[in-house]
Amino acid sequence: MKRCLLATAALLACLSASAQEKEKELYIRGAFNGWGTDNALSHKGKGVYEADILVSPGNHAFKVGSRDWADEWVADTSKSVTVAPGASYPLATQPGPEDYLFVRQTGTYRFTVDASNPAAPKLRVVRLETPQAAAAPDPHAGREAVAALTWPTWDGKQESARFSTPDAGAALRRYAHSTTLSLRDPGPQHSEYAEQAGLPRVRTGNLAFDALFALAGSEMRLDAVSQIRDGNYNGGAAIPCECFATGEKWHYVWTRDLSYAADLGLALLDPQRVRNSLEFKLSGWRKGLKIAPQVAGSPDGLQVVQDTGSGGSWPVSTDRVTWGFAAEEVLRTLPAAERAPFARRALQALSNTIENDRIAAFDASTGLYTGEQSFLDWRDQSYASWIPNELASMSTSKSLSTNVGHYKALSLASQLAREQGDDARTRRYAAWAAELVRAINTQLWLSDAGMYSSLTAGHLDGAPLHKFDWLGQSLAIITGVASEEQARSILARYPHGPMGAPVIWPQQPGMPVYHNRALWPFVTAYGLRAAIHAKNVAVADAAYDSLLRGAALNMSNMENLEWLSGQPLLLDERNPNLIGPVINSRRQLWSVGAYLGMVVGELFGVSVQDDGVLLQPFVTAKLRREMFGASNDIALHELRLQGKRIDVRLRLPAVDTEDGYYTVDRILVNGQESSKRIPLASLKDNNQVEIVLGRLQHGQQEIRRVKDDPYATAGPTFAPREPAIAGLERHANGNMLRIAPAGDEGAVRYNVYRDGKLAASGLQAGSWTDRGASPFACYAVEAQSLAGGNRSHHSIPRCIDRGIEVPVTDRRAQSNVKLSAPTARFDAPRLEGWGQPGDRFAVERIAVPAAGRYAVQVRYHNSANQVNLGISGGVKWLAVKDARGRIVAQGVVQLPHAPLAKANTPSVYSTPLRATLSAGRYRIEMSDFYNMSYLDSNSSFSAAGGATGPSNRFDIYGVRLLRVE
């Protein structure tokens, strides 16, 4: 009998006729299986369903969910529940927070859903008794070629990895690999893999180093698939694609993951598969759609896809432009016959993407693009605690990493336009790129920190925050956005723990490990590139060590690790809600790309440029001593580029006790003296490259070292919690605000920002008066640690002006959609589900009493999907017209997904349209623009905006005009 569908609507029928076939199933989906569909609930009879799952230690979030998340069952819709093994919990058959299972030791757990009473299903989880496993055999027994790598742990112990091969002299070796580290996922403490035909291999005299490069190559091949799948697409069925999947637990192609992985190393080794994957992330319009006239680009709409995510995807997030990093590398590595058609398609897609991002996500007042930080897409982890409830403010923030991505897209598009004889677009995009560099350095560089701010606050504030991320800093350095002086400053000042650089600094209090309190190998690899760019030896050595350690001890290139301990899972029994990384996958694609790129691109120094092959190895004295001390040379064999084979041999100087890096003394290509740049046309079918390294250069040695207890929940590596403005009033002598304490009162002081500029610093909680300030000012407050100076996120901003509010019940509001009456969940009248392309909404005769600058917003609620999912964020065109019907302001406004409550769901405000208005009467009109659901690639998406058609709909409550100047 096939498993039954446990969908809420069909549950009774399923149970009364259990042999009846259904279209869907329910699964146990959680952090232990990548939130995937590997663990289906199997019907055992009488309405009882079970799934037995091998679970490793951790505090694992999970839900009962269908393949497409259309059905979701949790123990409590208002809060997370930690289930106790053996206890029974009633399930609500509707969405809610994740439930948790705390596991101390790896074991098999039986998840049972008892739906014998369809109206009241129950969940029970028990640990199954398992027989004690026999001692595992030594995988290295009987082998003469054995090597080991050992590292100290944060708590004074040691962890080691061992490597061996039975065939040290073989052209393609096989390796055994074991570790003493407690692995993240259940399984043996050893593995075997082999060097892959068609991929390069290394011979360094260090068996462990050779093996780890082979491990990355074998994992690259495992991620190379003929079909991909995701529960949210194509009904969960396989989609044919000769592509790169994202990792062991992530079976789809995601734009940013693929792009960074390709840029770091994969494009050099398998450009055709990367190209296929990049093509998969392009899409045009769905057939039959009428596209709004304000939308830019070619009629087919071909553009880069922004994946599902925060607030309903683009333009809440705009880092789809990272596609340009990968496209640039592929264009350098593809043969000429294949490059030309891809170059034409890349320019069209980039141009359409750039032009529409310019309309929907560019802030002319700052010169920066808006949108979520690149890859840091779990809002709670790296944003203020109030942001998940106010995603419009995240939409209007500007981030360093995403803006550098826009710079890359603009630069590449300009180059391609020049190649294709399009002078207008060449100049246009080159000018925009140059202007963006100036804006990044004007708006985001913090002189007091000597680094770039990771992000600004959103609208009504806009100040650059004293928050820092390693990816953004590194990308700014390697793209040339940062000057050489800025690069040196960043590398000297960004903190490094004993295991490497954290993704963000400082850490967020009260958040588990994932982006927060974590290091990610692919980010570390970009840090390595940045360090080599500026010749910072200390930072480069830290990156080399971090990447080697992570792969060796985990026997895989992991998604992420806790940053102070290097653990794939830091089990904190005192604070189970802080355990993490909460999700972690082996052979994560960008980690694999990072490791391969570290060896080929950084150590051996081989990269492909537009004018040929560049040879620029970076061998530090520490690597020479500790990894290659037994060798006089190291070799990279069978690197293939456009059908040509390249073998590279590095001749090493004598071991040196001092730190630094070795300069290149001379380069021989096929026995002839050569410069570091080799034209592709000069390469033979087989090429022997010899690079002789010479004298030791000390380079830059500055690095900021920090230490802390990995189990600490506050202290020098953390930021304070953000405060709140408890009150704001206009008085005769100025504006008075009341600062509500953020906690740890004796250890922090408060800084006040007025309209994004620092107005006061070093304040204590309580009242403060801004004397002589504007009656239209907006304020935000941050907390700053007295001990280390770390700063919090800003409070939610508050403005003196209360605004002009016009609800939809007002006679001046007009729409073809009829008003919906209040309900328990929505306690005010609203235009429900407004936003079909032909829908109309306007508010006329709005009296503006005085001239000034106004923020025009729509009051709305969007419950098309959860705040972290979907493609159905509201994206509309707003126009303000004067009494004569002339447009005085127009542009895109965003209405992202918002939290849904059981009762009295609050409405929220859209992103603002800025308008300079004179006194008089005005009309506001809203019409269609587009979101990612308009793209053909999302036509099989399971939730709103997918198979049932585009979704750009939400409930409208009214409009507001807030005076801000």
Side-chain angles (χ1 to χ4, degrees):
M1 183 192 74
K2 291 190 175 181
R3 299 183 183 97
C4 273
L5 163 66
L6 292 184
T8 307
L11 182 60
L12 187 56
C14 177
L15 297 175
S16 63
S18 60
Q20 183 179 357
E21 293 186 2
K22 300 292 178 181
E23 296 178 356
K24 293 193 295 185
E25 301 162 343
L26 279 183
Y27 301 80
I28 301 297
R29 306 182 66 171
F32 40 71
N33 59 19
W35 294 94
T37 55
D38 294 338
N39 302 114
L41 283 161
S42 180
H43 188 225
K44 299 301 181 181
K46 298 183 179 179
V48 175
Y49 297 79
E50 291 179 353
D52 292 350
I53 307 174
L54 186 63
V55 185
S56 60
N59 193 44
H60 300 284
F62 74 94
K63 293 182 179 182
V64 178
S66 61
R67 184 180 291 274
D68 60 1
W69 287 113
D71 296 292
E72 184 179 317
W73 296 8
V74 295
D76 193 318
T77 59
S78 61
K79 64 180 184 299
S80 294
V81 172
T82 297
V83 300
S88 184
Y89 297 87
L91 287 173
T93 55
Q94 59 189 31
E98 301 95 340
D99 296 317
Y100 284 85
L101 174 67
F102 182 76
V103 175
R104 288 186 176 84
Q105 292 184 322
T106 298
T108 300
Y109 284 79
R110 175 165 292 166
F111 292 73
T112 301
V113 174
D114 183 351
S116 54
N117 178 0
K122 295 180 180 179
L123 170 72
R124 187 168 180 262
V125 182
V126 296
R127 182 184 175 99
L128 302 181
E129 295 296 328
T130 55
Q132 187 171 1
D138 181 1
H140 311 292
R143 296 183 174 182
E144 294 183 3
V146 180
L149 295 174
T150 300
W151 283 274
T153 63
W154 69 275
D155 54 356
K157 301 174 185 177
Q158 285 188 331
E159 298 280 11
S160 63
R162 298 179 70 211
F163 306 84
S164 64
T165 179
D167 47 7
L172 296 175
R173 291 176 183 163
R174 292 176 291 124
Y175 296 97
H177 181 172
S178 62
T179 182
T180 61
L181 180 73
S182 179
L183 297 177
R184 167 65 186 233
D185 294 312
Q189 293 289 118
H190 63 87
S191 65
E192 294 192 0
Y193 44 85
E195 292 170 339
Q196 306 281 307
L199 288 180
R201 62 187 183 277
V202 296
R203 294 292 183 264
T204 64
N206 184 331
L207 185 71
F209 192 92
D210 298 354
L212 288 172
F213 186 69
L215 169 65
S218 67
E219 293 196 318
M220 171 183 160
R221 284 287 172 84
L222 288 171
D223 286 338
V225 298
S226 297
Q227 57 185 31
I228 56 175
R229 67 174 71 230
D230 182 85
N232 287 315
Y233 285 93
N234 201 34
I239 301 171
C241 186
E242 295 293 330
C243 294
F244 278 115
T246 302
E248 184 181 61
K249 294 178 181 176
W250 310 101
H251 309 305
Y252 204 62
V253 181
W254 304 112
T255 300
R256 71 173 71 92
D257 299 59
L258 166 71
S259 299
Y260 288 133
D263 181 48
L264 286 167
L266 297 188
L268 178 62
L269 302 182
D270 195 344
Q272 188 57 62
R273 189 175 294 274
V274 171
R275 176 190 171 175
N276 295 343
S277 305
L278 288 172
E279 293 268 16
F280 183 78
K281 301 312 297 185
L282 298 181
S283 179
W285 306 123
R286 297 195 197 203
K287 292 181 180 179
L289 279 183
K290 183 179 180 181
I291 302 301
Q294 294 87 2
V295 176
S298 58
D300 62 2
L302 184 73
Q303 60 192 275
V304 181
V305 177
Q306 182 76 43
D307 292 316
T308 63
S310 295
S313 187
W314 182 88
V316 175
S317 301
T318 62
D319 74 336
R320 58 179 179 162
V321 289
T322 56
W323 191 90
F325 284 101
E328 182 177 59
E329 290 303 304
V330 167
L331 287 163
R332 288 170 171 169
T333 51
L334 283 173
E338 297 179 31
R339 184 190 187 281
F342 181 65
R344 289 191 295 270
R345 188 164 168 82
L347 176 58
Q348 182 187 358
L350 283 170
S351 182
N352 289 341
T353 300
I354 287 167
E355 296 293 344
N356 283 298
D357 281 359
R358 195 75 174 186
I359 295 170
F362 182 70
D363 176 20
S365 68
T366 61
L368 297 174
Y369 290 85
T370 62
E372 188 177 30
Q373 299 171 85
S374 183
F375 122 85
L376 298 175
D377 59 342
W378 185 352
R379 300 128 305 279
D380 312 59
Q381 290 268 314
S382 52
Y383 283 86
S385 61
W386 54 269
I387 280 288
N389 296 322
E390 299 280 349
L391 287 183
S393 286
M394 189 173 76
S395 303
T396 55
S397 66
K398 295 98 179 174
S399 77
L400 171 64
S401 54
T402 298
N403 272 275
V404 176
H406 284 282
Y407 170 70
K408 172 59 68 176
L410 289 165
S411 301
L412 178 58
S414 178
Q415 174 191 328
L416 294 176
R418 183 175 62 253
E419 291 177 6
Q420 296 171 34
D422 189 334
D423 292 339
R425 283 196 287 188
T426 299
R427 293 191 299 270
R428 178 181 179 87
Y429 297 148
W432 286 359
E435 291 164 3
L436 182 55
V437 169
R438 288 193 291 272
I440 291 171
N441 282 295
T442 301
Q443 302 292 329
L444 297 178
W445 181 256
L446 298 176
S447 298
D448 59 343
M451 295 184 285
Y452 290 102
S453 165
S454 282
L455 71 163
T456 72
H459 57 270
L460 307 181
D461 182 354
L465 306 180
H466 278 70
K467 301 290 180 180
F468 310 96
D469 77 287
W470 196 216
L471 177 62
Q473 310 292 334
S474 301
L475 291 178
I477 291 171
I478 64 177
T479 57
V481 168
S483 68
E484 295 299 320
E485 182 181 351
Q486 287 172 313
R488 287 192 294 271
S489 175
I490 292 166
L491 292 163
R493 295 184 184 221
Y494 194 88
H496 281 67
M499 310 301 166
V503 169
I504 64 172
W505 177 266
Q507 309 309 308
Q508 297 268 89
M511 284 290 115
V513 181
Y514 188 57
H515 295 137
N516 188 55
R517 297 171 55 205
L519 61 87
W520 288 59
F522 95 90
V523 177
T524 299
Y526 274 116
L528 173 60
R529 282 191 176 182
I532 292 173
H533 177 92
K535 302 298 187 287
N536 188 308
V537 176
V539 174
D541 275 330
Y544 276 134
D545 188 70
S546 183
L547 291 168
L548 286 161
R549 176 190 178 111
L553 294 182
N554 290 279
M555 301 194 308
S556 185
N557 292 281
M558 301 297 290
E559 183 175 357
N560 54 29
L561 303 166
E562 196 278 328
W563 79 288
L564 288 169
S565 67
Q567 294 289 313
L569 181 77
L570 188 68
L571 194 65
D572 189 346
E573 295 196 39
R574 295 172 301 174
N575 302 287
N577 290 334
L578 301 183
I579 290 174
V582 294
I583 306 171
N584 208 344
S585 177
R586 289 183 288 223
R587 58 178 165 84
Q588 192 75 358
L589 188 68
W590 48 21
S591 301
V592 173
Y595 197 95
L596 293 168
M598 175 193 75
V599 176
V600 177
E602 277 65 69
L603 176 63
F604 283 92
V606 181
S607 63
V608 183
Q609 305 296 309
D610 296 326
D611 56 353
V613 178
L614 178 65
L615 302 171
Q616 209 166 11
F618 195 80
V619 180
T620 68
K622 184 174 186 288
L623 269 180
R624 173 74 177 99
R625 287 193 304 269
E626 297 181 4
M627 282 290 154
F628 314 127
S631 301
N632 292 322
D633 58 70
I634 60 176
L636 172 69
H637 295 293
E638 291 201 60
L639 178 65
R640 295 188 178 273
L641 178 63
Q642 297 185 11
K644 301 178 186 295
R645 172 175 168 169
I646 304 173
D647 295 318
V648 182
R649 185 171 298 275
L650 296 185
R651 302 291 185 187
L652 303 177
V655 172
D656 203 301
T657 57
E658 295 186 19
D659 285 328
Y661 71 97
Y662 296 103
T663 59
V664 173
D665 191 38
R666 64 176 180 155
I667 297 174
L668 299 174
V669 178
N670 298 323
Q672 302 296 315
E673 293 277 353
S674 173
S675 69
K676 65 181 180 181
R677 293 184 185 273
I678 310 172
L680 280 174
S682 70
L683 290 175
K684 301 177 180 179
D685 289 341
N686 292 285
N687 302 273
Q688 301 299 315
V689 176
E690 181 177 344
I691 304 175
V692 180
L693 299 182
R695 61 191 178 88
L696 186 71
Q697 286 273 55
H698 288 290
Q700 298 296 312
Q701 296 286 344
E702 293 178 274
I703 187 171
R704 180 183 175 190
R705 304 280 189 182
V706 296
K707 290 184 178 181
D708 202 359
D709 183 342
Y711 293 97
T713 57
T717 63
F718 288 85
R721 297 177 187 273
E722 79 265 6
I725 298 175
L728 180 61
E729 299 171 359
R730 176 70 178 167
H731 290 264
N733 62 341
N735 302 328
M736 187 188 76
L737 60 84
R738 294 193 302 278
I739 303 170
D744 300 325
E745 264 318 281
V748 298
R749 291 294 183 267
Y750 298 97
N751 305 322
V752 177
Y753 291 80
R754 179 203 315 116
D755 299 327
K757 305 294 183 183
L758 184 65
S761 59
L763 303 178
Q764 295 187 356
S767 297
W768 173 78
T769 298
D770 189 8
R771 302 187 184 280
S774 163
F776 309 109
C778 297
Y779 294 89
V781 182
E782 72 180 358
Q784 184 170 5
S785 166
L786 289 175
N790 291 342
R791 304 194 195 189
S792 72
H793 280 285
H794 286 194
S795 68
I796 189 169
R798 293 187 60 175
C799 302
I800 291 290
D801 186 52
R802 301 194 176 205
I804 302 167
E805 291 264 6
V806 182
V808 290
T809 53
D810 192 287
R811 291 182 179 180
R812 293 172 290 173
Q814 304 171 350
S815 178
N816 62 304
V817 176
K818 294 183 179 179
L819 281 174
S820 293
T823 65
R825 178 162 278 183
F826 301 102
D827 63 352
R830 66 204 183 282
L831 301 178
E832 185 175 357
W834 185 94
Q836 296 279 25
D839 284 349
R840 305 182 311 278
F841 175 70
V843 181
E844 59 183 6
R845 303 190 311 279
I846 302 173
V848 172
R853 290 274 290 169
Y854 290 82
V856 184
Q857 296 170 284
V858 179
R859 189 159 61 92
Y860 78 100
H861 189 271
N862 185 342
S863 57
N865 211 319
Q866 298 179 54
V867 296
N868 62 324
L869 296 173
I871 53 174
S872 45
V875 190
K876 296 296 183 181
W877 189 261
L878 202 67
V880 180
K881 297 181 178 179
D882 65 15
R884 298 175 62 183
R886 295 176 302 186
I887 296 175
V888 295
Q890 61 182 336
V892 166
V893 290
Q894 300 178 48
L895 307 97
H897 297 158
L900 187 65
K902 286 182 178 180
N904 303 330
T905 298
S907 58
V908 291
Y909 289 100
S910 72
T911 61
L913 173 67
R914 296 289 180 133
T916 301
L917 304 178
S918 301
R921 291 182 179 270
Y922 293 88
R923 175 183 172 90
I924 295 174
E925 297 176 352
M926 187 160 61
S927 57
D928 203 30
F929 196 66
Y930 81 97
N931 62 18
M932 287 292 104
S933 74
Y934 290 45
L935 299 185
D936 185 64
S937 65
N938 283 318
S939 60
S940 73
F941 186 64
S942 60
T948 57
S951 176
N952 197 355
R953 303 171 64 188
F954 39 84
D955 301 344
I956 301 177
Y957 288 82
V959 296
R960 177 175 77 172
L961 284 76
L962 186 71
R963 187 169 175 188
V964 292
E965 288 181 27

